[in-house]
Amino acid sequence: MQRTRNIALCVAAGALVSSVSAAAPAVAAAGSPACKNVTLSWAGGTAKPGGGSDQQETARVQVKNSGGSTCSLLGAPSVMLTTNGQPETLLQQPGGNSVSLAPGHTAKFTITFLSDRGKNGNEIIRPDQAVVTLPGGTVKTLTWRWGAVTRQEAASHPGNFVSPIT
C-alpha cells in the first residue's frame, strides 16, 4: 500500500523534526509576522492518558505567544505522529483561519484521532511524540500521551485530522 507522506527530516532524540506540507499554508496573516516564539501544551479534550477507548478522541493543543510582539497564524498546523523519531502517520489538515496573537495570548487547535486498544485487528501505531509544524514553519514537539492510534492514511473518510487554529 502506497501512502502519501510529507517530506520529513528526523534526527535523534531531542533534535529538530521538520516537515513540509502543501496542504497547510506556510504564511502569516497580513500585517503581523508569523509566530516563531511560541510554547505548545496539551489543553483538554476527550482523550485520556494511556488511551484505549476504541473511539474517536480529541486532544486540544494550546499555542501561546511567548514573544514580545504580536504575531499571526494562518491555517491549520501539520501534525506528524512519530515513534522513536521515525514518522508514523500524518494527520490531515483541512481549512484555515487567520489568528493574531498578542504577547502572552493563546490560540488552540484540536487533534482528532481514532484511539485503539489493539484488539480490533486494525493496523495501529504507538506514537511517542506529536511533531507540530505551525503555519509559518515553526516546529514544536509534544510528548504523545494518548495511547495507540488506528492508521488512517488509506481511509476514504479518515478519522484522524487536525482542526484549524482558533
Side-chain angles (χ1 to χ4, degrees), residues 30-49:
S32 297
C35 291
K36 299 291 182 194
N37 295 314
V38 296
T39 56
L40 270 56
S41 59
W42 296 114
T46 62
K48 303 287 186 253

Side-chain angles (χ1 to χ4, degrees), residues 128-152:
D128 54 19
Q129 294 184 325
V131 179
V132 177
T133 303
L134 295 171
T138 299
V139 178
K140 298 287 181 174
T141 302
L142 290 166
T143 299
W144 184 260
R145 57 183 179 195
W146 314 118
V149 175
T150 301
R151 285 191 183 276
Q152 289 284 294

Side-chain angles (χ1 to χ4, degrees), residues 46-47 53-58 112-115 152 158-161:
T46 62
S53 71
D54 282 340
Q55 310 242 345
Q56 192 170 51
E57 300 286 355
T58 59
T112 302
F113 62 97
L114 293 171
S115 179
Q152 289 284 294
N160 298 336
F161 55 90

